[in-house]
Amino acid sequence: MGEEFSFKPYGAKPHHTGVAVPVFALRSSNSSGIGQFSDLKLLADFAKKTGMDLLQLLPINDTTTFMDWRDSYPYRAISVFALHPIFLDVHAFREKFTKPQQTALLKEEAELNALPQIDYERVLALKWKYARLIYQKFAVEYQKTEAYRDFYEQRKNWLIPYACFSVLRDKNESANFLSWGDYKHYSFAVYEALSQNKSMAESLDLYIFVQYLLHIQLKAAVDYCHSLGIAIKGDIAIGIAHDSVDAWTNPELFNLDMQAGAPPDIFAAEGQNWGFPTYNWERMAQDGYSWWKARMTAMSEYFDAYRLDHILGFFRIWEMPEGSVRGLLGQFSPALPMTAEEIENSYGIPFRSWGIERFIKPFIRDWVIDEVLGRDNRDYVIQRFLTYVGYGNYEFKPEFDTQRKVEAAGLENWLRDGLFTLHENVIFLKDHKGENLYHPRITLPTTISFREFGDEYKRRLEHLYNDYFYGRNYEFWKERAYEKLPVIKNSTNMLACGEDLGMVPDNVPDVMYHLEILRLIIERMPADDSFINGLQYAPYLSVVTTSSHDTSNIRAWWQENRDVTQRYYNEVMGWGGQAPNEATPEIVQEIVKRNLNSDAMIVALPIQDWLGMSGELRAENPQDERINVPSNPFHYWRYRLHMDLEQLNESDDFVQFLSDFIYQSKRST
């Protein structure tokens, strides 16, 4: 970036303003049904005119696993290095095509651009159709250039396995590399073998060529942004796809028999299961976290700052065995588990004398089945799914003894979810690594099993539960974070920001402060029992925003809970009387104004909330602007802006209003 522009804390311009929007959500007259890297130039023009200096994006890596709409989820990358081919601007090559090809492209683009949301599968098919055409016409010419040769030589250590993975995934119609026979383990010999086949050799070449095109298009957009004094903030996902290039080439770096997720929170009462393998941090430490260093270095080619997704994962991750579907059967990893002796001697719980299985096996009796699934269904549930084991207790039959097996049975939702609940009706979980070690189940006081204990034993279990989840591991996790985060942060010059929402240990903000990693603060998502986060207390080393891709926008949130809205209207905004049913432009402006006047280094608001300040430009239905529903691991990520970026740039009244609005806030300094 230019010498006069510094995107660091306490710089010449201490306060920064940004717009947050996924690349896929952008819309322009040259789009092919989805946003693309070249559209960032138009977004930068808008940012410059309004006085903003930051574009904040979601992950942009290739996610092609299932080869259908499920790959729209941007946090499940098959490569932490490869860019997603869906962001390729094929329209830029239009003039080089034949007249029939041009006509066909324009027709397909018109149809896709007319849709209110992304048709992921049609768009990706179009991109690859024309990417192959571009390859046939220009590959030889490009490959002769010094720029192409440099690109390849500097990145061939990940380009070659990525191309091999993509070709084998296509050939086998599956990204599960364990099903690839002789190729289930990667070595350079795989590339040599595939290269012997003319058709496969061309496919390998195609995948590498497309990565080059994506690189030069994204780099051109970034350079343009920098020329305007606009920084780019990327998103570094906490996980990778289980069936991915990284897991194929470096399986020792991951716990492939485990799944990462999140404990229960306001997003998901049953917790979240992201399906990612967890990291083998001990193995990563042996070579100084070289995989992480390489990943961050690659992204620093495009980003000036980054959001480290789920920074708590660098303290501890929520880890579930591969048989789990929901997140309630998870445990923190690493964590300090409990021995039977500690459970008995420190908390007075007769763990072994009552039988360990009473605590670690699903507690299933007739009345439990009645409560969860209904008395009328009891006999059917017992006959099909359970085995009687005596003393009024049941256990799952082997063919249904994990949630994954239940899920695979194709049951109706009410029955499937009820059986999930029975699986989760436990008090303790066995440690994933150590024998005879245990962890209390998250939210165990809410289980039916807990209700069966007498008041005194309930009190003892609650004491144990609170000790374990609120203090026991805090210093241990802090030490683990200080082992990893400085290495990752210091591997590049990018500004580090962390997403620290959710069940946050008390020492996380302190660690982030000492490492100068910016916190994330959303007013309506307090980290404690407060009604809201007081924006007047937001620290300088923070990113403040009104909403995120995981939440509703301001206008939709306003309609979710009338009691919350009314209290917010009177107590936080200080406006009297009854709150309107709709968040009017004036209400959104007031909320945004208080965010802009916080002391946070960065205020980066979703484009939906910026547009929500305008009665003319806001979308008709705020529900249509939702990007993700976190409780659904297979949500379709298909949100698009309801207007072209050209139209946004030409909205002179709004651009001027926004420029004045930002200038009159603390962001102007």
Side-chain angles (χ1 to χ4, degrees):
M1 303 186 70
E3 293 182 3
E4 67 280 354
F5 187 94
S6 174
F7 204 73
K8 299 292 181 185
Y10 313 107
K13 186 179 187 301
H15 297 98
H16 301 273
T17 315
V19 56
V21 59
V23 173
F24 61 74
L26 300 176
R27 184 189 291 268
S28 73
S29 60
N30 291 332
S31 294
S32 303
I34 197 169
Q36 48 206 21
F37 290 143
S38 57
D39 291 334
L40 292 172
K41 297 177 183 179
L42 291 170
L43 186 63
D45 289 337
F46 172 73
K48 179 67 174 179
K49 292 176 184 177
T50 56
M52 301 185 202
D53 55 9
L54 173 70
L55 308 183
Q56 179 174 307
L57 312 177
L58 292 188
I60 55 176
N61 296 106
D62 192 353
T63 58
T64 310
T65 303
F66 303 102
M67 294 166 282
D68 59 29
W69 65 266
R70 290 173 291 177
D71 295 334
S72 65
Y73 180 33
Y75 287 91
R76 192 190 297 110
I78 64 160
S79 168
V80 299
F81 302 101
L83 301 172
H84 204 309
I86 207 165
F87 298 131
L88 180 67
D89 182 356
V90 297
H91 190 95
F93 293 86
R94 183 175 61 91
E95 296 299 326
K96 303 291 186 180
F97 299 152
T98 65
K99 289 297 182 184
Q101 289 167 345
Q102 291 183 35
T103 301
L105 174 60
L106 293 175
K107 181 177 182 295
E108 290 181 84
E109 286 181 336
E111 292 176 1
L112 290 169
N113 287 332
L115 300 175
Q117 295 180 306
I118 298 165
D119 186 327
Y120 187 91
E121 293 162 13
R122 281 187 65 191
V123 167
L124 189 59
L126 177 146
K127 295 287 182 144
W128 275 114
K129 173 183 176 181
Y130 287 95
R132 290 185 177 91
L133 187 60
I134 295 165
Y135 171 78
Q136 292 165 4
K137 287 178 174 288
F138 303 111
V140 173
E141 175 186 336
Y142 274 82
Q143 290 167 346
K144 291 178 180 178
T145 65
E146 184 178 353
Y148 189 95
R149 290 194 297 271
D150 287 347
F151 170 83
Y152 177 79
E153 287 299 323
Q154 292 171 18
R155 297 164 182 82
K156 63 183 179 182
N157 62 323
W158 66 259
L159 275 171
I160 290 175
Y162 165 75
C164 291
F165 180 93
S166 300
V167 169
L168 289 168
R169 176 203 59 213
D170 297 347
K171 176 180 182 292
N172 291 281
E173 298 183 343
S174 171
N176 178 10
F177 50 83
L178 295 177
S179 68
W180 291 351
D182 293 341
Y183 298 129
K184 66 181 180 180
H185 300 298
Y186 175 77
S187 70
F188 188 72
V190 173
Y191 177 73
E192 294 177 320
L194 295 178
S195 298
Q196 298 305 308
N197 180 289
K198 182 179 179 182
S199 175
M200 287 190 176
E202 184 173 287
S203 294
L204 292 170
D205 206 35
L206 169 65
Y207 275 106
I208 294 172
F209 177 74
V210 168
Q211 284 300 308
Y212 176 70
L213 295 183
L214 289 163
H215 167 73
I216 60 175
Q217 288 187 354
L218 177 55
K219 200 70 173 69
V222 169
D223 290 345
Y224 181 79
C225 291
H226 288 175
S227 72
L228 299 180
I230 309 293
I232 306 290
K233 180 185 175 189
D235 197 323
I236 307 297
I238 183 61
I240 63 164
H242 182 280
D243 300 329
S244 64
V245 184
D246 299 280
W248 186 44
T249 55
N250 297 290
E252 71 282 358
L253 300 181
F254 309 96
N255 301 311
L256 295 175
D257 59 344
M258 292 293 163
Q259 305 173 95
D265 57 19
I266 63 171
F267 291 134
E270 287 83 29
Q272 298 177 47
N273 184 344
W274 303 325
F276 311 144
T278 56
Y279 294 119
N280 183 348
W281 288 111
E282 293 82 4
R283 176 62 183 81
M284 287 182 163
Q286 291 176 12
D287 64 1
Y289 305 98
S290 62
W291 181 83
W292 273 101
K293 291 177 181 177
R295 179 182 185 182
M296 301 305 289
T297 299
M299 292 299 100
S300 69
E301 287 198 78
Y302 314 115
F303 303 150
D304 308 291
Y306 60 90
R307 169 189 179 273
L308 198 57
D309 176 42
H310 195 66
I311 196 171
L312 295 180
F314 297 88
F315 292 74
R316 81 296 185 271
I317 197 70
W318 191 245
E319 184 178 72
M320 292 146 284
E322 57 188 344
S324 293
V325 173
R326 305 200 298 200
L328 287 171
L329 293 177
Q331 58 190 244
F332 288 124
S333 178
L336 301 172
M338 294 180 164
T339 63
E341 290 79 9
E342 181 182 7
I343 294 170
E344 294 166 349
N345 299 334
S346 297
Y347 298 97
I349 297 167
F351 190 63
R352 287 175 290 190
S353 62
W354 282 9
I356 293 176
E357 290 193 352
R358 167 64 184 89
F359 295 89
I360 67 173
K361 290 271 192 175
F363 179 69
I364 307 174
R365 291 190 168 184
D366 288 338
W367 68 269
V368 175
I369 299 169
D370 294 350
E371 181 170 331
V372 174
L373 288 157
R375 172 63 187 90
D376 293 343
N377 300 305
R378 184 208 294 175
D379 293 342
Y380 168 72
V381 169
I382 291 172
Q383 290 172 12
R384 183 173 180 191
F385 302 104
L386 305 174
T387 299
Y388 184 68
V389 293
Y391 303 101
N393 297 308
Y394 299 89
E395 67 180 15
F396 278 98
K397 293 179 178 179
E399 58 266 39
F400 298 107
D401 63 2
T402 70
Q403 290 184 334
R404 286 289 174 203
K405 292 179 181 179
V406 170
E407 181 184 51
L411 307 172
E412 294 182 61
N413 290 351
W414 69 270
L415 180 56
R416 178 202 63 202
D417 292 346
L419 294 174
F420 285 172
T421 299
L422 293 183
H423 270 291
E424 294 157 353
N425 194 28
V426 298
I427 300 298
F428 287 96
L429 303 168
K430 296 185 71 172
D431 184 70
H432 292 159
K433 295 181 179 179
E435 286 292 322
N436 304 316
L437 298 172
Y438 307 92
H439 304 262
R441 204 214 83 172
I442 190 77
T443 65
L444 77 81
T446 68
T447 64
I448 296 174
S449 181
F450 176 80
R451 295 202 327 246
E452 267 290 274
F453 291 94
D455 290 343
E456 176 59 25
Y457 287 107
K458 286 181 181 176
R459 184 189 65 77
R460 295 178 186 181
L461 282 169
E462 287 177 332
H463 181 203
L464 177 151
Y465 180 86
N466 290 328
D467 282 354
Y468 178 88
F469 282 106
Y470 301 102
R472 176 186 181 89
N473 292 288
Y474 283 9
E475 283 304 309
F476 177 64
W477 289 336
K478 181 178 178 179
E479 292 169 4
R480 303 289 82 75
Y482 273 125
E483 290 173 0
K484 309 161 194 164
L485 286 173
V487 177
I488 294 169
K489 178 179 182 291
N490 295 332
S491 62
T492 72
N493 290 323
M494 292 186 289
L495 175 68
C497 309
E499 183 271 295
D500 57 332
L501 304 175
M503 190 177 176
V504 181
D506 293 339
N507 54 20
V508 171
D510 180 66
V511 171
M512 295 177 70
Y513 172 78
H514 282 97
L515 295 178
E516 288 198 344
I517 299 174
L518 276 62
R519 299 185 58 200
L520 176 62
I521 295 176
I522 301 178
E523 183 183 34
R524 56 177 138 134
M525 294 181 64
D528 53 28
D529 294 331
S530 303
F531 176 53
I532 61 158
N533 275 317
L535 293 177
Q536 68 273 28
Y537 304 119
Y540 175 71
L541 292 176
S542 66
V543 178
V544 164
T545 187
T546 48
S547 315
S548 81
H549 62 273
D550 281 331
T551 73
S552 51
N553 58 34
I554 290 175
R555 295 168 59 210
W557 167 75
W558 192 265
Q559 299 171 347
E560 289 173 358
N561 187 314
R562 182 66 184 170
D563 292 338
V564 169
T565 297
Q566 186 64 56
R567 183 179 175 189
Y568 184 91
Y569 185 76
N570 297 140
E571 296 181 15
V572 181
M573 294 176 62
W575 291 12
Q578 186 172 356
N581 293 325
E582 178 185 353
T584 63
E586 293 73 26
I587 288 174
V588 179
Q589 290 168 23
E590 179 64 21
I591 295 172
V592 170
K593 181 187 299 181
R594 286 184 300 98
N595 279 264
L596 293 178
N597 283 320
S598 71
D599 193 45
M601 176 185 171
I602 298 173
V603 173
L605 310 185
I607 197 164
Q608 301 96 310
D609 288 343
W610 286 119
L611 294 174
M613 295 199 295
S614 168
E616 293 75 33
L617 298 185
R618 55 169 49 186
E620 182 176 351
N621 182 2
Q623 308 299 333
D624 293 341
E625 298 183 302
R626 184 77 187 242
I627 295 176
N628 180 41
V629 179
S631 59
N632 179 7
F634 287 106
H635 177 75
Y636 195 167
W637 296 59
R638 60 190 315 194
Y639 163 69
R640 288 195 83 191
L641 277 171
H642 60 284
M643 59 191 303
D644 286 353
L645 289 169
E646 291 93 342
Q647 180 186 352
L648 184 60
N649 273 298
E650 292 165 5
S651 301
D652 295 337
D653 290 345
F654 179 67
V655 168
Q656 187 60 53
F657 162 80
L658 207 52
S659 176
D660 294 341
F661 195 87
I662 294 171
Y663 182 77
Q664 292 164 8
S665 74
K666 194 166 191 170
R667 303 291 108 191
S668 62
T669 60

